Amino acid sequence: MGPSSAPRRLSGMQKQVLSLYRGFLRAARTKSAEDRQRIESIVSIEFRRNAKEVDRKNFLYIEYLLRRGKKQLDQLRSPDIVGLSATNVSFSQTKAPTH
Amino acid sequence: MAAVTGASSISLLRSAPQQFHQNLALSRTNGLKSVSLAGYGRSSLSFGLQQRSLRLRVSCAAKPETVAKVSKIVRKQLALPDDSAVTGESKFSELGADSLDTVEIVMGLEEEFGISVEEDSAQTIATVQDAADLIEKLIEKNKA
């Protein structure tokens, strides 16, 4: 992972993570400029933090994060959701369903 | 095919003598291109465009302007100083970008150029030149 000069060969899981990241950034584009910036900043911090802290061999946990991320992304995609500070920032707490 | 070439583009004929031995093959592919050029309307632009499409076909190299624009976005995205050396050969990883940065760069390019990069191609981009080439290819495709 990280900066390697060889042509990047990504594992399937890494591809999934990047694809999720892209999905978040795309979803953020559909929000207002202010919300978008906030979302992008939270998402970017969260991904980078996990990239650093989570052991890359901890597949179970990464899979869990991926699943959780996908759910959050689905919610974020809905037009009446304008941010995810409540979901992503309170990382350790179980997030209450927002509907 | 001949009908398409003849009807839709006069500027193509003008450049034909420059095409030497590739004349036949190129004018045919250009015939296809000219359909997209016709939509352009501005004749001053069409000449430049045509030059590029010619060059694209031969060497697949992006215009220096595109490379410069990509470099600028890359600098901005990676928060590099304006005078830092970012060239076509610069690898994103050598500039200090991790894979998440690369995703951000590609997204930034999409917005700037009004294109949509597919995931598979996004993951093959390693250098500024790669990105510029892909962008020009996509822009061409959008116009067609």
Side-chain angles (χ1 to χ4, degrees):
Chain A
M1 213 15 212
S4 68
S5 51
R8 287 178 305 143
R9 305 235 17 202
L10 298 167
S11 71
M13 209 171 235
Q14 284 174 315
K15 281 185 187 164
Q16 281 186 64
V17 173
L18 291 180
S19 159
L20 182 67
Y21 190 55
R22 204 175 323 234
F24 269 110
L25 295 186
R26 268 191 220 283
R29 275 186 192 169
T30 64
K31 313 293 178 188
S32 74
E34 197 188 320
D35 293 329
R36 174 180 170 174
Q37 214 177 10
R38 209 173 42 230
I39 294 169
E40 284 179 350
S41 135
I42 292 170
V43 170
S44 152
I45 290 170
E46 183 82 354
F47 270 79
R48 291 206 154 72
R49 194 173 57 76
N50 281 325
K52 218 171 84 189
E53 285 178 6
V54 178
D55 178 8
R56 48 179 307 199
K57 293 258 152 53
N58 195 347
F59 302 123
L60 268 184
Y61 185 55
I62 299 173
E63 258 170 20
Y64 157 73
L65 287 175
L66 272 170
R67 269 199 310 277
R68 201 191 55 171
K70 276 175 197 154
K71 261 186 218 143
Q72 288 171 332
L73 177 55
D74 277 344
Q75 285 179 311
L76 187 66
R77 282 208 184 106
S78 116
D80 36 291
I81 301 230
V82 292
L84 36 70
S85 47
T87 62
N88 251 355
V89 153
S90 55
F91 172 68
S92 54
Q93 294 161 16
T94 326
K95 133 186 82 101
T98 47
H99 45 79
Chain B
M1 182 59 68
V4 175
T5 319
S8 55
S9 171
I10 299 166
S11 59
L12 281 176
L13 296 176
R14 227 187 275 147
S15 76
Q18 299 168 0
Q19 290 169 8
F20 309 119
H21 53 278
Q22 285 175 310
N23 206 346
L24 246 182
L26 275 176
S27 58
R28 227 203 257 156
T29 45
N30 274 345
L32 280 174
K33 268 278 110 48
S34 66
V35 181
S36 63
L37 287 180
Y40 241 72
R42 277 191 279 171
S43 57
S44 60
L45 251 181
S46 73
F47 189 62
L49 264 178
Q50 188 190 346
Q51 288 292 77
R52 180 182 54 172
S53 68
L54 250 173
R55 219 191 311 160
L56 258 179
R57 241 158 249 297
V58 176
S59 67
C60 211
K63 279 191 300 183
E65 296 99 279
T66 311
V67 176
K69 215 166 154 193
V70 172
S71 306
K72 204 178 125 207
I73 295 168
V74 169
R75 273 195 211 100
K76 202 181 92 191
Q77 203 71 251
L78 298 177
L80 297 170
D82 284 345
D83 55 355
S84 57
V86 176
T87 64
E89 289 79 46
S90 303
K91 276 193 182 148
F92 293 143
S93 53
E94 282 163 6
L95 297 169
D98 59 21
S99 50
L100 292 176
D101 289 320
T102 309
V103 170
E104 283 171 22
I105 290 170
V106 172
M107 301 281 295
L109 295 173
E110 283 189 343
E111 274 200 307
E112 182 70 26
F113 290 93
I115 51 170
S116 170
V117 180
E118 275 170 49
E119 216 150 290
D120 287 347
S121 8
Q123 279 166 356
T124 62
I125 298 174
T127 66
V128 171
Q129 187 71 52
D130 289 348
D133 290 347
L134 181 68
I135 287 164
E136 297 212 336
K137 213 171 80 194
L138 288 171
I139 292 178
E140 287 286 315
K141 220 163 75 184
N142 280 357
K143 295 218 181 90

